[in-house]
Amino acid sequence: MPSPIPTVRTIKTYAVTPRPNPDAPRQLEMSAWDVPMLCPHYIQKGLLFKYPPDLSLEQIIQRLRSSLEEALFHFYLGLSTVYFYPLSGRLRVVTCEGGGVTCHVEVGVEGEGAEFVHAVADGIGIADVVAADGQDLPDFLKEFFPLDLALNFDGCTSPLLVIQLTELKDGIFIGCVFNHAIGDGTSFWHFFDAFAEISRCKAVGKEVVLSRPPVHDKWFIGGYGEPPIKLPYSSPEEVVVRFSPPPLRERMFHFSSESLAKLKAKANSECGKGTISTFQALSALMWRCITRARGFPPEQKTSCRLAIQNRARLQPPLSPNYFGNSIYAAPTTTTAGELLNNNLGWAAWKAHEIVSNHTDSAIRDMVHKYMQNPIVYNLHMFDIHSVMMGSSPRFDMYGCDFGWGKALAARSGSANKFDGKVSAYPGWEGGGSVDLEVCLLPKYMSALEGDEEFLAVVSPPIKLEVLLGKSIK
């Protein structure tokens, strides 16, 4: 049997490097939030656009390539007397004298560079990518992103950043693959937004002055400039634990601002506290409904993990433009019986408590404990009885305007997905709406699709005609 023809064909791969500077430092140390991320996958997120009407394909490629080169340059320009380009380098995981391994980012005088990939998706159009009207997300989305299932550790030999432009029948998709040991979701979208801002400036011949230049001063528990973190491994190879998810169903569920307002009011009414946020209520809903769909016995322990920012919670706070990882996946735990026998407000209050308790002292305590016993996280560590709420509806995904208008949809690749992973996106129409990308084993997804509590809150998806700006008859 001949091998099937791939859906997406790579046309050309370009190396992209910023302007060389022989006086630049060669090395950037990694913090206690960066080093643990060596074994998860790269971040893979991207945006779908209508085909820009006034540009040829060659002009689009040239605009994006030059914008990427300038983005690499600006992501250290003005923050030091010399230039250092972390996204152009490679990771170095080395064995220490006397045992242990350390990790840092290293850039040669010329820099190894990021990459830009031009690809074509044969026979695929905007409607196929959007997958509206209750369809599962299509499997071909993973081909819109290079370095599929690559670990961040692979940044020792692979680029730390890759942009892929994929041509569709009637649109384009811009996918970004970003090493998670270099930065978290906040840093990812910070870079993506800067990349788009530069492209937008080039569209009108405007000088590029980033509205939000990054801050690269690494935060260490004892201050800045501490020695590198030593991991308790005898060789770099011991760090590597690869992960491939089981067959999953993936769906995007939409929640309108009106539906979420009712959900929040319900949670606050039931808990009697009046301080539950919209996202805490939504997280509680997903925790309850997925746990019910899984059919756990009452005594089974289950957790809901929330990805919580550290930047604003530290005292003094870090800059919102701090570039790197600064996040924890904080859990709240109970039994399946207790979770489902109590109401939504009870579960939402547990989510609220874990967020409220994530204070400066709690963060510092977690860093202290990590420094005493540093490890590297891997995706096998996730508890299969739990739910992980990742990403954030606060990320300004639809504000990434490259000069040809608002994106039609945000989508992801196969990275960092497992049964129980839920990723939050802002809704396309704004106003506080939210889209949730839900990954579950097929039998659990089928049960979720029939869950009455869930169906009472989820909203109809935005129609493709509305996304495309067409009138609906």
Side-chain angles (χ1 to χ4, degrees):
M1 291 286 292
S3 299
I5 299 174
T7 305
V8 178
R9 296 180 291 115
T10 298
I11 304 301
K12 189 170 183 178
T13 299
Y14 306 83
V16 182
T17 57
R19 306 161 212 174
N21 179 7
D23 298 323
R26 298 289 300 275
Q27 185 170 313
L28 178 69
E29 299 297 347
M30 300 172 71
S31 77
W33 299 320
D34 300 325
V35 171
M37 300 304 294
L38 284 172
C39 266
H41 299 141
Y42 279 59
I43 300 174
Q44 296 180 325
K45 295 287 194 301
L47 297 172
L48 173 68
F49 295 91
K50 289 190 287 188
Y51 199 94
D54 301 322
L55 294 174
S56 67
L57 176 64
E58 291 73 20
Q59 289 173 319
I60 295 170
I61 292 173
Q62 178 56 35
R63 167 103 62 89
L64 291 176
R65 285 180 60 198
S66 63
S67 298
L68 177 58
E69 179 181 344
E70 191 149 351
L72 295 174
F73 175 72
H74 278 276
F75 259 57
Y76 210 67
L77 178 62
L79 298 168
S80 176
T81 56
V82 292
Y83 307 144
F84 180 77
Y85 312 110
L87 291 172
S88 300
R90 298 292 184 268
L91 299 183
R92 295 290 180 259
V93 182
V94 297
T95 304
C96 306
E97 292 185 16
V101 299
T102 62
C103 182
H104 59 266
V105 183
E106 187 172 293
V107 177
V109 172
E110 296 297 327
E112 291 86 348
E115 284 186 353
F116 180 88
V117 179
H118 168 214
V120 175
D122 295 316
I124 294 175
I126 287 171
D128 303 306
V129 177
V130 172
D133 300 324
Q135 300 175 50
D136 285 10
L137 292 173
D139 189 58
F140 64 70
L141 284 175
K142 67 183 181 183
E143 298 183 59
F144 289 2
F145 301 90
L147 301 178
D148 186 43
L149 298 182
L151 301 183
N152 298 308
F153 180 92
D154 295 329
C156 293
T157 54
S158 297
L160 302 182
L161 175 73
V162 185
I163 299 293
Q164 178 169 311
L165 169 69
T166 303
E167 292 181 68
L168 310 175
K169 290 189 302 183
D170 50 358
I172 59 174
F173 189 92
I174 301 176
C176 181
V177 180
F178 179 98
N179 193 290
H180 208 330
I182 300 301
D184 54 18
T186 298
S187 293
F188 175 96
W189 287 107
H190 184 180
F191 178 82
F192 206 124
D193 181 66
F195 175 37
E197 182 180 13
I198 292 168
S199 173
R200 199 163 61 247
C201 289
K202 288 180 177 292
V204 295
K206 181 180 176 183
E207 180 184 1
V208 176
V209 179
L210 288 187
S211 57
R212 294 175 54 223
V215 175
H216 283 284
D217 294 329
K218 287 293 182 181
W219 187 88
F220 294 95
I221 192 67
Y224 296 94
E226 286 192 348
I229 296 167
K230 185 182 289 188
L231 293 165
Y233 303 103
S234 59
S235 70
E237 291 71 26
E238 288 187 15
V239 174
V240 178
V241 181
R242 298 199 179 272
F243 175 84
S244 294
L248 299 169
R249 284 187 60 193
E250 301 175 33
R251 279 196 61 181
M252 194 71 79
F253 293 102
H254 180 61
F255 298 84
S256 69
S257 56
E258 295 81 8
S259 178
L260 291 174
K262 293 176 183 176
L263 183 72
K264 177 182 176 181
K266 182 175 188 289
N268 277 295
S269 174
E270 289 178 352
C271 78
K273 306 287 186 179
T275 53
I276 303 297
S277 72
T278 298
F279 193 68
Q280 289 161 11
L282 184 57
S283 298
L285 175 78
M286 298 309 298
W287 186 21
R288 283 169 52 82
C289 295
I290 290 174
T291 300
R292 187 184 296 114
R294 286 167 162 170
F296 292 148
E299 67 276 10
Q300 176 62 58
K301 286 190 175 181
T302 177
S303 299
C304 181
R305 287 186 173 269
L306 304 178
I308 305 178
Q309 274 271 9
N310 299 330
R311 289 169 175 81
R313 291 179 169 83
L314 285 165
Q315 297 299 325
L318 296 178
S319 167
N321 299 330
Y322 175 88
F323 194 81
N325 287 284
S326 184
I327 199 166
Y328 280 113
T332 181
T333 303
T334 185
T335 64
E338 195 170 28
L339 177 64
L340 298 178
N341 288 334
N342 284 287
N343 56 28
L344 173 75
W346 183 89
W349 183 250
K350 287 188 70 67
H352 172 81
E353 285 185 315
I354 197 67
V355 175
S356 297
N357 292 336
H358 198 70
T359 60
D360 174 76
S361 60
I363 295 168
R364 291 175 185 273
D365 184 56
M366 285 187 278
V367 175
H368 273 299
K369 289 179 179 177
Y370 178 82
M371 296 299 292
Q372 292 168 5
N373 183 30
I375 62 169
V376 172
Y377 306 142
N378 69 72
L379 294 172
H380 293 280
M381 294 177 174
F382 181 76
D383 177 12
I384 62 173
H385 304 107
S386 298
V387 172
M388 172 68 207
M389 301 294 297
S391 192
S392 173
R394 294 184 179 181
F395 294 153
D396 187 19
M397 302 179 189
Y398 292 105
C400 295
D401 180 358
F402 287 82
W404 43 69
K406 180 179 176 179
L408 304 177
R411 292 292 184 264
S412 67
S414 57
N416 300 304
K417 290 182 176 177
F418 43 82
D419 178 46
K421 176 67 178 293
V422 180
S423 298
Y425 298 70
W428 179 85
E429 74 272 34
S433 61
V434 174
D435 289 333
L436 292 183
E437 178 191 70
V438 180
C439 302
L440 291 173
L441 293 176
K443 61 181 179 180
Y444 299 150
M445 183 68 82
S446 296
L448 179 67
E449 290 170 331
D451 186 273
E452 292 183 3
E453 183 181 10
F454 179 73
L455 293 175
V457 182
V458 71
S459 307
I462 302 297
K463 291 186 176 295
L464 182 61
E465 295 87 348
V466 175
L467 294 176
L468 295 173
K470 299 178 180 178
S471 60
I472 302 175
K473 297 181 180 178

